[in-house]
């Protein structure tokens, strides 16, 4: 098992109803597995696109990136900075 | 100089961090809040820790590509009224080609990679998250 | 705002002449005196009447190419110490592509067309006219 | 005959020994004719290149541009503004 921090931003925080949470996933697990678990725990996030932009420990990654206990996964709506 | 601020950006301070006697060309980019579609202000939110790291990476890449250049960036967060700057980038280099190129590189990478989101606030009191195509989408539920 | 000045250029004043609520992107170029080869300062001389007209033509061309942009330029004349700006161009437009393009267009045309000459003053007291390839040539006889 | 003002700048002013003068040329005359006359009147300007940059009434022109009485011809060293 790995306990992974999950952060929600902007519209996704509205969908989740929170900014921060943590989920448990059986290892080996990927960012995609974390997101699947998030959709179960926070049904509002089912309105996110099928493959939302994600960051692992503050770097954008693909959904097949492996997660470890203590990692931070962030779900990022389409960026609009600048 | 910090990359993220909640206060108005001072371009003079930014210039002072990059200019020097060896660097004869400086290119500055300022992004300011436009009065599109009755927008009165934009509320900028960031994943701050990642934003800081990503900006550091982008500036390091610019330095690697244009080793004689020096580039600095500030992004403002929070509520920014129309007409004020949300981002300022200053790139100084011995010659202008590198100054323009480094400045342009940094703004393009920031737009693509930095986790910042804007919510437009309108004259009628409504709020809309901005999607990257430039069209406002859904809600702004949280603040309203 | 006048295009030619004998005083230090104020970038804030220049920005104020081009920015507006509709123009979300502003690109500024600053050319500053470099400390090449023991240069302490550069004395800029102009054919002032033609410089003024040529700058007006260049700005009009930029406006024709990027109609939503607004560009302003100041060139400083006389003795300018190392590190200070000899030229500043600010180009504001609704989006950044036009701001960068208009700013770049104006500096390139200025370099090609505006009748201004620089004489480098060196630590040892000598003076040399600068030729466009960037290498100092002959004399500076008149002032020495 | 046309009387044409002639202006010298930067290094060319040093070569001419003055900033401003006027020369008379028989019409029709071109900028090139004015420059040829200048080289006679101000021998120092023979050190200018064979075809120096020239402006007629504050616009760069080729040496075959025609001049009229009262025009202003300027002789411009290689530009180095900006």
């Amino acid at each position: 098992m790995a306990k992974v921090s999950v952060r929600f931003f902007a519209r996704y925080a509205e969908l989740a109803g929170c900014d921060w949470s943590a989920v448990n996933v059986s290892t080996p697990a990927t960012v995609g597995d974390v997101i699947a678990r998030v959709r179960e725990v926070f049904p509002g996030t089912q309105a996110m696109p099928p493959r939302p932009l994600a960051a692992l420990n503050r770097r954008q990654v693909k959904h097949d990136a492996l997660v470890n206990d203590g990692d931070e996964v962030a779900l990022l709506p389409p960026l609009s900075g600048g | 100089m910090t990359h993220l601020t909640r206060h108005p950006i001072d371009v003079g301070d930014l210039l002072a961090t990059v200019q020097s006697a060896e660097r004869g060309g400086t290119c500055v980019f300022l992004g300011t809040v436009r009065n599109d579609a009755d927008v009165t202000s934009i509320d900028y939110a960031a994943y701050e820790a990642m934003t800081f790291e990503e900006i550091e990476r982008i500036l390091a890449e610019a330095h690697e590509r244009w080793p004689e250049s020096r580039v600095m960036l500030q992004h403002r967060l929070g509520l920014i009224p129309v007409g004020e700057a949300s981002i300022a980038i200053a790139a100084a280099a011995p010659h202008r080609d590198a100054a323009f190129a480094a400045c342009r590189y940094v703004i393009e990478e920031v737009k693509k990679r930095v986790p910042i989101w804007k919510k437009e606030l309108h004259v009628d009191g409504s709020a809309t998250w901005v999607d990257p195509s430039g069209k406002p989408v859904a809600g702004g539920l949280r603040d309203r």
Side-chain angles (χ1 to χ4, degrees), chain B residues 73-95:
Chain B
L73 178 164
Q74 273 204 317
H75 202 302
R76 183 173 166 189
L77 299 177
L79 205 63
I80 308 181
V82 161
E84 295 189 16
S86 54
I87 188 168
I89 298 164
H95 298 282

Side-chain angles (χ1 to χ4, degrees), chain B residues 21-24 26 28 30 32 34-35 94 96-97 104 108:
Chain B
E22 304 84 51
R23 302 187 195 106
T26 305
V28 175
L30 298 173
T32 50
R34 261 201 322 271
N35 63 350
R96 67 185 181 283
D97 276 345
R104 191 71 200 252
E108 298 305 326

Side-chain angles (χ1 to χ4, degrees), chain A residues 6-51:
Chain A
V6 181
R7 299 189 63 173
F8 302 100
F9 290 94
R11 194 170 75 90
Y12 295 173
E14 293 176 0
L15 297 174
C18 71
D19 296 320
W20 184 92
S21 186
V23 296
N24 292 309
V25 285
S26 336
T27 51
T30 64
V31 166
D33 296 330
V34 171
I35 292 172
R37 182 85 188 103
V38 162
R39 292 190 202 268
E40 293 168 13
V41 178
F42 301 96
T45 63
Q46 288 163 21
M48 294 190 308
R51 301 187 63 79

